[in-house]
Amino acid sequence: MLLLRCQLKRALPQQVLCGSCAVMGKLQSKLKHSTYKYSRPDGIIEERIQTKAFQEYSPAHVDTVSVVAALNSDLCVSGGKDKAVVVYNWKTGNVVKRFRGHDREITKQIACVPKSNQFFSASRDRTVMMWDLHGSSQPRQQFSGHAMVVTGLAVSPDSSQLCTGSRDNTLLLWDVGTGRCVERASVSRNLVTHLCWVPREPYILQTSEDKTIRLWDSRGLQVAHIFPIKQHIQTYCEVSEDGHKCISCSSGFGGEGCEATLWDLRQTRNRICEYKGHFQTVASCVFLPRALALMPVIATSSHDCNVKIWNQDTGDRIEGNECCATSEAEPSEVLQFHFHPPGMLL
């Protein structure tokens, strides 16, 4: 459904997609070859990949989809330029419920409350709205306080607090129950690109267009640590389930930048490994569930229309079917996925 045909017999991992590439429409139904060419300092590189047939699903949106997140093992939540938030059953291809309330398009951020039917959406209308799958189609709560588009959302482990970030250089901490802003922090030139709450900890990881990765302490909303500054804009971040490691990814073009970086979140907080091989901006990166592979693996998605799987410990691209926990998955479907061009709705 997400144009990621991962036959691992499990639920789709949350956010394994490029925000501007995610498309929920009628999917491909024919075999074809796709050729990609990229200009590199060392010449032209050409990749010729056979794209397999995909099952067709009914469209969830009438315009480009900007974000998809997993709500549970059967349902995902998507937001798009049509201002709608949609709950979709990715197994059956059916729209479960449609929510409306935003005045402008949904940005790339949707946060789901763990083990709950509630989720949040952020929009260019500068607001965040809270929705309930089993409630009204109208928002259950609205959070207004940013001066520009909201580009980051993170829910605390106990679901009592929500942290939001914006291009207005601010982070706001909210009480979910009352909808009241309890803390505000601002850092010059800190144009937030993504937020992620560290499991079982009071810390929030944040990436920014100033090429910086910050770790915030939610108790007072103060910067607890700044990681070494990268050479390119940091577009996305994710924290491992055990809270010991985090991964961020970078913008870039022609193979310069375009990487993901693994960091230690514990005492040293040093860089552990880098994952290089994309040709354009890496828009998203995730830790794949350990049960899906024979080794710890990471997935990255890029504006070059590919999702790639990496050995977390060595930084090597996974080859063959060595990453599969089951032999039923075909190597071509596990190792690399291909999207339609960014922003295209079928």
Side-chain angles (χ1 to χ4, degrees):
M1 180 205 67
L2 306 178
L3 301 188
L4 305 170
R5 193 163 185 263
C6 181
Q7 298 288 352
L8 293 180
K9 308 303 181 183
R10 301 279 182 175
L12 290 175
Q14 183 172 350
Q15 300 282 357
V16 187
L17 51 98
C18 158
S20 62
C21 296
V23 178
M24 295 175 68
K26 290 187 177 179
L27 308 188
Q28 296 182 107
S29 59
K30 296 180 180 179
L31 283 172
K32 67 177 184 179
H33 284 84
S34 299
T35 302
Y36 303 95
K37 290 185 178 180
Y38 304 97
S39 296
R40 292 287 302 276
D42 53 352
I44 300 295
I45 293 180
E46 179 177 322
E47 293 186 356
R48 186 170 176 83
I49 305 295
Q50 177 170 300
T51 304
K52 290 198 169 186
F54 294 94
Q55 185 176 354
E56 289 191 2
Y57 288 103
S58 300
H61 293 268
V62 297
D63 204 337
T64 303
V65 177
S66 52
V67 59
V68 180
L71 182 59
N72 56 43
S73 60
D74 296 328
L75 305 178
C76 61
V77 184
S78 62
K81 287 189 176 182
D82 58 4
K83 310 173 190 176
V85 177
V86 176
V87 176
Y88 199 89
N89 188 315
W90 66 268
K91 290 184 176 180
T92 65
N94 295 323
V95 172
V96 177
K97 196 166 184 177
R98 194 178 303 274
F99 300 86
R100 289 193 177 275
H102 286 293
D103 295 330
R104 298 188 64 185
E105 68 182 83
I106 311 301
T107 57
K108 72 172 188 176
Q109 298 296 333
I110 281 185
C112 298
V113 178
K115 300 179 181 179
S116 168
N117 294 307
Q118 298 174 346
F119 47 93
F120 300 85
S121 63
S123 169
R124 288 191 177 276
D125 63 12
R126 301 173 292 179
T127 69
V128 172
M129 292 186 179
M130 180 179 181
W131 314 88
D132 191 319
L133 176 61
H134 300 311
S136 166
S137 59
Q138 299 298 310
R140 178 173 177 177
Q141 188 72 269
Q142 180 170 319
F143 306 85
S144 302
H146 285 290
M148 297 183 69
V149 53
V150 181
T151 51
L153 284 178
V155 184
S156 65
D158 64 3
S159 307
S160 66
Q161 293 182 309
L162 174 72
C163 186
T164 62
S166 168
R167 292 183 63 84
D168 62 9
N169 304 324
T170 65
L171 267 67
L172 302 180
L173 191 66
W174 307 84
D175 183 294
V176 171
T178 64
R180 185 173 64 90
C181 180
V182 295
E183 297 286 354
R184 176 185 294 265
S186 180
V187 176
S188 177
R189 301 178 64 185
N190 182 30
L191 282 73
V192 177
T193 56
H194 195 72
L195 293 173
C196 185
W197 209 298
V198 179
R200 298 174 295 280
E201 297 287 348
Y203 298 109
I204 303 160
L205 191 68
Q206 180 238 319
T207 50
S208 171
E209 285 193 14
D210 67 2
K211 308 175 185 178
T212 303
I213 307 163
R214 295 178 175 86
L215 189 66
W216 294 80
D217 191 332
S218 63
R219 299 164 296 186
L221 207 56
Q222 301 289 326
V223 176
H225 180 74
I226 298 178
F227 290 85
I229 295 178
K230 300 283 289 179
Q231 294 184 342
H232 297 82
I233 291 172
Q234 299 299 288
T235 58
Y236 192 88
C237 57
E238 175 91 350
V239 179
S240 61
E241 287 188 11
D242 59 14
H244 295 165
K245 299 180 180 69
C246 67
I247 186 170
S248 66
C249 51
S250 301
S251 66
F253 184 77
E256 297 298 324
C258 316
E259 82 268 1
T261 305
L262 183 69
W263 306 88
D264 192 339
L265 268 179
R266 292 168 291 185
Q267 304 217 351
T268 61
R269 294 177 177 165
N270 291 331
R271 184 180 70 187
I272 301 174
C273 191
E274 286 192 327
Y275 311 91
K276 297 183 177 181
H278 284 292
F279 297 102
Q280 295 186 38
T281 292
V282 179
S284 164
C285 51
V286 297
F287 295 91
L288 292 183
R290 187 65 178 86
L292 298 183
L294 302 175
M295 65 192 78
V297 291
I298 283 170
T300 56
S301 66
S302 166
H303 289 185
D304 63 15
C305 303
N306 293 314
V307 173
K308 296 184 179 181
I309 309 295
W310 311 85
N311 183 313
Q312 176 182 302
D313 298 328
T314 66
D316 295 331
R317 275 274 307 280
I318 302 295
E319 300 293 343
N321 60 0
E322 56 184 307
C323 77
C324 301
T326 170
S327 61
E328 295 180 6
E330 297 181 37
S332 62
E333 293 176 324
V334 174
L335 302 182
Q336 186 165 315
F337 308 92
H338 294 270
F339 295 88
H340 287 281
M344 179 179 177
L345 180 70
L346 295 185

